Amino acid sequence: MPLNRRTFLGRSAVAGAGVALAGGAGTGSAAASESRGHGHGRPARRYSFTVMGTTDLHGNVFNWDYFTDKEFDDKAHNDVGLAKISTLVDQIREDRGRRNTLLIDAGDTIQGTQLSYYYAKIDPITAKRGPVHPMAQAMNKIGYDAAALGNHEFNYGIPVLRKFEEQCDFPLLGANALDARTLRPAFAPYVIKRVRTPHGRDVRVAVLGLTNPGIAIWDKANVGGKMVFPGLEEQAAKWVPKLRSMGADVVIVSAHSGSSGTSSYGDQLPYVENAAGLVAEQVPGIDAILVGHAHSEIPEYFVTNKETGKQVVLSEPLKWGQRLTLFDFDLVWEKGRWVVEKVGASVLNSNTVEEDPRIVSILGDEHEKVVAYVNQVIGTSVAAMSTVDAPWKDEPVIDLINLVQAETVKAALAGGEYAALPVLSQAACFSRTAAIPAGEVTIKDAAGLYPFENTLEARLLTGAQLKDYLEYSAKYYVQTAAGAPVDTSKLTNAENIPDYNYDVVSGVSYEIDIAKPVGSRIVGLSFEGVPVDGAAQFVFAVNNYRASGGGNFPHVPGSKQLWANSDEIRNTIIGWVQAKGSVDPAEFASVDWRLTRDGVPVF
């Protein structure tokens, strides 16, 4: 029976490596077999086992959306959360035999929902006698063997991450997360698990954890001067031979890095952001890679290693616990050691199972606390506002974000050297389902506009730089000839650009001519009715992700920082609504940008 959502109350390894037995005592294995082979008339010893994997869980324990305060759902009717993953894991352990399975994760665990935010900021796990993080509780109960560090693990600062690490019964791995002073791993680089077989000799399975070099940019405020993050290929080439020399029969990489070989931060770092495919191609000795970070679904993908010609299997399960990857290994005993004979990958969909009542039971109280928190009323709104059309229209709800940011920066710079300069602001549509209702406004309504823990900065830009910035942003639209039909379902996300990497800028007026090619789309850029002078100076209110290079937008990362705040923009919006009491779109909404074709508005 499905759970009633409203009443559903009803240490890690030492730095370096850890070694443990998978499962418990026992010598039987349903996956083990013998067959005649090698022409010697003696049976070849064979053994099979499964490694399960998740990634980008982002604080999702339950199939619940705290920004809407209802059960999660999307167009594909996916489900999310560790409670569902737990049921799938139990099924696989029952089918394969628990001692013949391992369970790992590829990072981005403790940020992303109001549940994870609550236990980092509202009732922090770092407090004296603080709570145990819900993600640690759930993952411990499920029985994870290891998890790689994701970039979002660093969002709340190193102390929160270290406390989470302390609360986990499994190691957090990061071979390329190095102490800035000693250049030694700041976290365990790997773990070696011994999987028992019925043939006497255990299978030694090494899991190498690699995280994203972009942390150095995206979380510079938290890691600058403390940690450095070299490239995945470089560190894999260092550690994989060591693991083999230590007797590893199987080497798995858990990489918080996509497989595309691209970077969103351009040439700001000499390392590739999405390097999992390059690791498979360049570093011999790897059998499988659990891929993370890109929020894509890749059931099975083979990459040929250039040196050995061996096929390396990659798999990325869909984010938030929507999928569970299965790596199925077939091994054969050859020349005194286990050798991988075959490995394949597949994914299971969490919407095929119910939530594990054990997870519901241990975390029901935490869930209810967060539900009560997000439903606190902070003000009222005269009219309803929504992001439904925000990807192609100037909508009041995005104007609200920019208004709050611009006012905050103006107040911060008042009386100073740059107080007289005009303040512009950037914002993106993070969610196409965010909304501010007419009537009472709650924390979840305001927080839904800004699901990321970004903070606010003020940078100095020229008019010419602003034009470049807007041209770069306008790449988001598919070129559409004048007179051709416009289908909004096919108009946006050109070159696979996500919604959060399309910025609109308030404080100026402009048109985006989608009939024109990329680089020449911004038309009529003006400030207070006058064309923007390329040499004019503006204060630019911008989030820290963009300011630090996220999305690879031009000029901002290298521009002069005038001011920065440590409070999340989300909290600034909540505080603004509380102080205002009532929000009236008529006071701030205006159409400052529009899509056109040859001067004719598209909408």
Side-chain angles (χ1 to χ4, degrees), residues 17 66 101-102 109 189 248 268 594 602:
Y66 293 97
T101 65
L102 296 172
T109 304
Q268 295 179 75
R594 70 179 74 234
V602 176

Side-chain angles (χ1 to χ4, degrees), residues 208 233 235-245 251-253 277-289 303-312:
L208 177 69
E233 309 99 304
Q235 293 300 300
K238 172 183 176 180
W239 286 102
V240 171
K242 289 185 178 181
L243 295 174
R244 289 294 184 183
S245 69
V251 174
I252 302 168
V253 174
L278 296 175
V279 171
E281 183 181 77
Q282 297 176 16
V283 181
I286 297 169
D287 297 298
I289 300 180
V303 173
T304 302
N305 184 267
K306 285 185 174 180
E307 182 174 326
T308 66
K310 177 183 174 181
Q311 294 277 288
V312 182

Side-chain angles (χ1 to χ4, degrees), residues 450-510:
Y450 223 105
F452 298 104
E453 276 77 42
N454 294 341
T455 57
L456 188 60
E457 297 189 15
R459 298 287 183 125
L460 187 65
L461 288 186
T462 66
Q465 290 173 331
L466 173 66
K467 174 75 157 41
D468 289 345
Y469 189 99
L470 290 170
E471 288 285 7
Y472 183 88
S473 184
K475 296 195 306 179
Y476 172 74
Y477 294 105
V478 174
Q479 187 172 3
T480 309
V486 175
D487 180 352
T488 55
S489 69
K490 300 176 181 177
L491 177 63
T492 62
N493 307 102
E495 302 178 26
N496 294 315
I497 296 171
D499 291 347
Y500 63 76
N501 273 342
Y502 169 62
D503 286 357
V504 299
V505 174
S506 72
V508 288
S509 299
Y510 58 96

